[in-house]
């Protein structure tokens, strides 16, 4: 049976040939979400920062004295998927979070955890690990490691465990289904909604590609442009009443256009924010 969402649970077999498993977490808030429909309208991508799928599922389905966490889905390296809560229940994956004028993403989003160790340090040419993992004899080979800096220049790490092709394919497949079912308006990394605390999913995950794929029905729109005025205010929302998120953009600054609404563009340069559309000259 192909993958589908029924009564807020994934069912069927995914593109990696895995049947979805259920393992209900005790760590959740009851409905509704803090959205107009009461259902999630965003999806947040995470890595577990662990080295075992089953250990991650265990942590996310256990009630501790403190520090309880959960998510809706955990995605293993072979594309296996365990769902921990129905999508109309709120899980505890986002923590204190803020993006584009909205805050508290536990009450806005579905959380997807991918089994992945996260950032690593180089111990030798073919030996990447972290102190804590190394002491347990766990390390990664060069061909399992992505080399690249995080989009947030304050993140010092430059080595990351690669995601598997099955993981990426299954995450894309599920996000497409979530968009069709819930009309999701945002697909974001944890590192985008909590940039001072979080680095996941990091540069090894193709976040821009995911957004491009899911929003490709917007083709024909402006994708890039340059600022055509002296100093252009960049704000947290689409309107002059929203606060400025950074210093104004200088003339001729290049921007990537992410969204458009009511005469405003959401753009990305070093940061993201909203600018009045008339001050952007399209280049692509
Ligand atoms: Zn996270």
């Amino acid at each position: 049976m192909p993958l589908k969402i029924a009564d807020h649970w994934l069912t069927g077999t995914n593109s990696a040939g895995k049947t979805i498993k259920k393992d209900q977490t005790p760590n959740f808030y009851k409905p509704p979400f803090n959205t107009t429909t009461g259902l999630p309208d965003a999806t947040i991508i995470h890595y577990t920062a662990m080295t075992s799928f089953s250990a991650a599922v265990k942590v996310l389905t256990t009630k501790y004295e403190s520090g309880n966490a959960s998510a809706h889905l955990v995605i293993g390296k072979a594309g296996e998927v365990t769902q921990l809560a129905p999508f109309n229940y709120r899980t505890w994956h986002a923590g204190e979070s803020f993006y584009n004028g909205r805050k508290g993403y536990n009450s806005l989003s579905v959380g997807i955890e991918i089994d992945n160790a996260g950032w690593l340090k180089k111990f030798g040419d073919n030996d990447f690990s972290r102190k804590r993992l190394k002491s347990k004899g766990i390390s990664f080979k060069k061909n399992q490691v992505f080399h690249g800096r995080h989009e947030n220049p304050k993140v010092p790490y430059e080595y990351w465990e690669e995601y598997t092709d099955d993981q990426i394919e299954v995450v894309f497949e599920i996000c497409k289904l979530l968009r069709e079912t819930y009309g999701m308006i945002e697909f974001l990394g944890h590192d985008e909604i909590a940039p001072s605390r979080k680095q996941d999913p990091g540069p090894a995950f193709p976040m821009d590609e995911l957004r491009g794929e899911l929003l490709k029905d917007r083709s024909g729109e402006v994708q890039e442009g340059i600022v055509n005025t002296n100093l252009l205010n960049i704000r947290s929302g689409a309107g002059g009443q929203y606060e400025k998120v950074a210093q104004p953009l200088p003339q001729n600054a290049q921007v990537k256009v992410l969204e458009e609404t009511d005469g405003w563009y959401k753009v990305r340069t070093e940061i993201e924010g909203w600018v009045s559309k008339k001050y952007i000259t399209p280049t692509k």
Side-chain angles (χ1 to χ4, degrees), residues 260-273:
E260 177 182 351
T261 187
D262 294 334
W264 288 71
Y265 279 151
K266 183 182 185 184
V267 298
R268 175 181 298 150
T269 56
E270 250 115 72
I271 45 134
E272 276 179 23

Side-chain angles (χ1 to χ4, degrees), residues 12-272:
T13 304
N14 67 19
S15 55
K18 305 289 185 201
T19 303
I20 309 301
K21 291 195 172 138
K22 255 191 201 185
D23 192 343
Q24 172 82 53
T25 181
N27 302 333
F28 64 84
Y29 299 122
K30 288 200 164 151
F33 281 75
N34 186 22
T35 59
T36 46
T37 59
L39 292 167
D41 68 9
T43 300
I44 305 301
I45 309 293
H46 305 260
Y47 59 54
T48 58
M50 295 175 69
T51 52
S52 150
F53 176 76
S54 56
V57 170
K58 183 109 204 274
V59 166
L60 298 169
T61 53
T62 303
K63 224 172 191 47
Y64 300 96
E65 297 261 299
S66 65
N68 290 301
S70 58
H72 292 88
L73 301 168
V74 188
I75 317 290
K77 289 188 159 59
E80 64 272 42
V81 177
T82 298
Q83 184 164 355
L84 311 182
F87 297 124
N88 62 333
Y89 279 36
R90 293 171 287 156
T91 60
W92 305 345
H93 58 97
E96 201 175 310
S97 44
F98 179 92
Y99 187 83
N100 194 24
R102 300 204 298 169
K103 63 180 181 186
Y105 271 77
N106 281 341
S107 292
L108 298 170
S109 65
V110 162
I112 300 179
E113 289 278 358
I114 310 174
D115 174 27
N116 178 284
W119 61 266
L120 301 165
K121 289 203 163 153
K122 189 175 183 175
F123 287 80
D125 279 345
N126 206 22
D127 181 8
F128 298 81
S129 189
R130 286 205 296 267
K131 247 187 206 156
R132 188 174 53 81
L133 296 178
K134 192 95 177 132
S135 65
K136 290 192 246 170
I138 299 169
S139 64
F140 296 89
K141 305 264 182 234
K142 195 175 178 180
N143 64 3
Q144 297 172 289
V145 174
F146 175 89
H147 186 191
R149 288 297 298 267
H150 198 279
E151 211 165 83
N152 177 354
K154 288 192 183 136
V155 175
Y157 314 116
E158 55 180 307
Y159 300 101
W160 310 81
E161 189 190 357
E162 287 270 23
Y163 295 93
T164 69
D165 291 347
D166 280 334
Q167 282 177 321
I168 290 172
E169 196 174 327
V170 166
V171 170
F172 275 49
E173 181 185 26
I174 291 171
C175 285
K176 195 159 172 266
L177 209 48
L178 287 169
R179 179 167 156 81
E180 286 163 8
T181 307
Y182 298 102
M184 296 277 171
I185 54 169
E186 286 177 326
F187 292 88
L188 297 166
H190 202 188
D191 46 11
E192 294 174 288
I193 62 167
S196 60
R197 296 187 296 120
K198 294 293 174 179
Q199 298 89 40
D200 60 314
F205 188 82
M207 207 65 220
D208 281 336
E209 211 181 293
L210 174 67
R211 284 188 279 253
E213 181 100 354
L214 291 167
L215 305 170
K216 70 181 164 200
D217 49 359
R218 305 186 321 159
S219 65
E221 290 178 15
V222 171
Q223 294 172 319
E224 280 171 28
I226 56 164
V227 174
N228 62 25
T229 184
N230 197 7
L231 288 169
L232 177 59
N233 286 321
I234 179 159
R235 300 178 183 277
S236 65
Q241 74 275 26
Y242 289 95
E243 60 181 334
K244 297 173 194 168
V245 295
Q247 294 296 314
L249 304 177
Q251 188 145 28
N252 295 326
Q254 293 195 4
V255 299
K256 215 169 161 182
V257 177
L258 306 173
E259 280 177 55
E260 177 182 351
T261 187
D262 294 334
W264 288 71
Y265 279 151
K266 183 182 185 184
V267 298
R268 175 181 298 150
T269 56
E270 250 115 72
I271 45 134
E272 276 179 23

